[in-house]
Amino acid sequence: LSTGSNNLDFTTRQAIIEKALAPHGIKFRVVPGHQPFEVFELANSIAPVSTVCYLGEDQAKLSTAINRAFGFKCILNPRMTSSTAVRAYIDNEEWDLLSEIVPGRIISDVVALHTLYK
Protein backbone atom coordinates (compact mmCIF):
# COMPACT_ATOMS: atom_id res chain seq x y z
CA LEU A 1 0.00 0.00 0.00
CA SER A 2 1.22 3.42 -0.85
CA THR A 3 2.15 5.62 2.09
CA GLY A 4 2.35 8.78 -0.01
CA SER A 5 1.02 11.96 1.55
CA ASN A 6 -2.01 12.03 -0.77
CA ASN A 7 -3.31 8.70 0.56
CA LEU A 8 -5.52 7.93 3.51
CA ASP A 9 -4.09 6.38 6.67
CA PHE A 10 -2.16 3.16 5.94
CA THR A 11 -3.35 1.29 9.03
CA THR A 12 -7.01 1.89 8.28
CA ARG A 13 -6.67 0.83 4.64
CA GLN A 14 -4.69 -2.23 5.70
CA ALA A 15 -7.47 -3.25 8.10
CA ILE A 16 -10.07 -2.99 5.33
CA ILE A 17 -7.98 -5.14 2.99
CA GLU A 18 -7.42 -7.73 5.70
CA LYS A 19 -11.13 -7.82 6.49
CA ALA A 20 -11.96 -8.32 2.81
CA LEU A 21 -9.37 -11.07 2.14
CA ALA A 22 -9.12 -13.01 5.41
CA PRO A 23 -12.47 -14.84 5.12
CA HIS A 24 -11.26 -16.39 1.87
CA GLY A 25 -8.24 -18.06 3.46
CA ILE A 26 -5.84 -16.10 1.28
CA LYS A 27 -2.35 -15.82 2.75
CA PHE A 28 -1.05 -12.35 2.11
CA ARG A 29 1.09 -9.57 3.48
CA VAL A 30 0.25 -5.88 3.18
CA VAL A 31 3.42 -3.84 2.96
CA PRO A 32 3.79 -0.07 3.25
CA GLY A 33 5.67 1.65 0.47
CA HIS A 34 6.20 5.24 -0.53
CA GLN A 35 6.58 4.35 -4.20
CA PRO A 36 5.88 1.18 -6.22
CA PHE A 37 9.51 0.32 -6.94
CA GLU A 38 9.99 -0.67 -3.30
CA VAL A 39 8.28 -3.95 -4.22
CA PHE A 40 11.54 -5.08 -5.84
CA GLU A 41 13.49 -4.88 -2.57
CA LEU A 42 10.73 -6.68 -0.70
CA ALA A 43 10.44 -9.46 -3.26
CA ASN A 44 14.18 -10.08 -3.21
CA SER A 45 14.13 -10.33 0.58
CA ILE A 46 11.41 -13.00 0.71
CA ALA A 47 12.52 -15.24 -2.15
CA PRO A 48 11.85 -18.08 -2.91
CA VAL A 49 8.26 -17.33 -1.84
CA SER A 50 6.01 -16.83 -4.82
CA THR A 51 5.37 -13.14 -5.39
CA VAL A 52 2.31 -11.67 -7.03
CA CYS A 53 1.99 -7.91 -7.42
CA TYR A 54 -1.43 -6.28 -7.46
CA LEU A 55 -1.31 -2.89 -9.09
CA GLY A 56 -3.93 -0.42 -10.23
CA GLU A 57 -4.76 -0.53 -13.90
CA ASP A 58 -2.95 2.79 -14.31
CA GLN A 59 0.30 0.91 -13.60
CA ALA A 60 0.23 -1.29 -16.73
CA LYS A 61 3.72 -0.25 -17.90
CA LEU A 62 5.20 -0.89 -14.46
CA SER A 63 3.50 -4.29 -14.40
CA THR A 64 5.11 -5.26 -17.69
CA ALA A 65 8.54 -4.12 -16.47
CA ILE A 66 8.21 -6.05 -13.19
CA ASN A 67 7.26 -9.22 -15.02
CA ARG A 68 10.09 -8.88 -17.54
CA ALA A 69 12.78 -7.99 -14.99
CA PHE A 70 11.82 -10.27 -12.10
CA GLY A 71 9.35 -12.79 -13.46
CA PHE A 72 6.71 -11.82 -10.89
CA LYS A 73 3.15 -12.35 -11.89
CA CYS A 74 1.40 -8.97 -11.95
CA ILE A 75 -2.33 -8.60 -11.75
CA LEU A 76 -3.89 -5.30 -12.68
CA ASN A 77 -6.90 -4.34 -10.61
CA PRO A 78 -9.50 -2.62 -12.73
CA ARG A 79 -10.89 0.50 -11.21
CA MET A 80 -14.09 -0.65 -9.59
CA THR A 81 -15.46 2.82 -9.09
CA SER A 82 -14.57 6.39 -8.50
CA SER A 83 -13.72 7.42 -4.95
CA THR A 84 -15.59 10.64 -5.75
CA ALA A 85 -18.74 8.59 -6.41
CA VAL A 86 -18.29 6.67 -3.16
CA ARG A 87 -17.94 9.90 -1.18
CA ALA A 88 -20.98 11.45 -2.90
CA TYR A 89 -23.16 8.41 -2.20
CA ILE A 90 -22.17 8.48 1.47
CA ASP A 91 -22.69 12.25 1.78
CA ASN A 92 -26.11 11.99 0.11
CA GLU A 93 -26.99 8.82 2.05
CA GLU A 94 -27.66 6.94 -1.18
CA TRP A 95 -27.07 3.55 0.40
CA ASP A 96 -28.68 1.57 -2.43
CA LEU A 97 -26.27 3.09 -4.96
CA LEU A 98 -23.32 2.63 -2.60
CA SER A 99 -24.16 -1.05 -2.19
CA GLU A 100 -23.87 -1.50 -5.96
CA ILE A 101 -20.21 -0.44 -5.99
CA VAL A 102 -18.88 -1.41 -2.55
CA PRO A 103 -18.95 -5.01 -1.23
CA GLY A 104 -21.56 -5.30 1.51
CA ARG A 105 -19.21 -6.77 4.10
CA ILE A 106 -17.01 -3.64 4.08
CA ILE A 107 -19.57 -0.85 3.57
CA SER A 108 -19.50 0.12 7.25
CA ASP A 109 -15.69 0.30 7.14
CA VAL A 110 -15.74 2.47 4.00
CA VAL A 111 -18.31 4.81 5.56
CA ALA A 112 -16.25 5.03 8.75
CA LEU A 113 -13.09 5.74 6.73
CA HIS A 114 -14.86 8.50 4.81
CA THR A 115 -16.28 10.01 8.00
CA LEU A 116 -12.86 9.92 9.66
CA TYR A 117 -11.25 11.90 6.82
CA LYS A 118 -14.13 14.21 5.97
Side-chain angles (χ1 to χ4, degrees):
L1 285 178
S2 175
T3 58
S5 61
N6 292 333
N7 293 301
L8 298 176
D9 175 66
F10 172 85
T11 306
T12 305
R13 291 182 298 135
Q14 178 182 17
I16 291 171
I17 290 169
E18 289 172 349
K19 186 172 184 176
L21 294 179
H24 301 286
I26 299 170
K27 293 183 180 183
F28 63 93
R29 181 172 165 200
V30 178
V31 180
H34 187 67
Q35 49 93 5
F37 300 104
E38 291 176 13
V39 72
F40 302 138
E41 292 175 20
L42 172 67
N44 287 331
S45 71
I46 61 173
V49 174
S50 177
T51 301
V52 178
C53 299
Y54 287 88
L55 303 170
E57 66 184 348
D58 59 325
Q59 297 290 335
K61 288 182 180 179
L62 177 60
S63 171
T64 301
I66 290 171
N67 181 265
R68 187 175 39 238
F70 296 94
F72 302 159
K73 180 176 182 179
C74 293
I75 297 171
L76 295 178
N77 290 320
R79 187 174 186 135
M80 291 174 32
T81 189
S82 160
S83 59
T84 301
V86 171
R87 289 191 300 271
Y89 293 158
I90 293 170
D91 290 342
N92 297 325
E93 298 184 7
E94 296 175 286
W95 309 117
D96 55 330
L97 296 175
L98 183 65
S99 68
E100 292 177 10
I101 60 174
V102 174
R105 68 182 174 277
I106 63 168
I107 283 181
S108 61
D109 295 314
V110 171
V111 171
L113 184 63
H114 172 66
T115 304
L116 182 66
Y117 289 95
K118 191 171 181 182

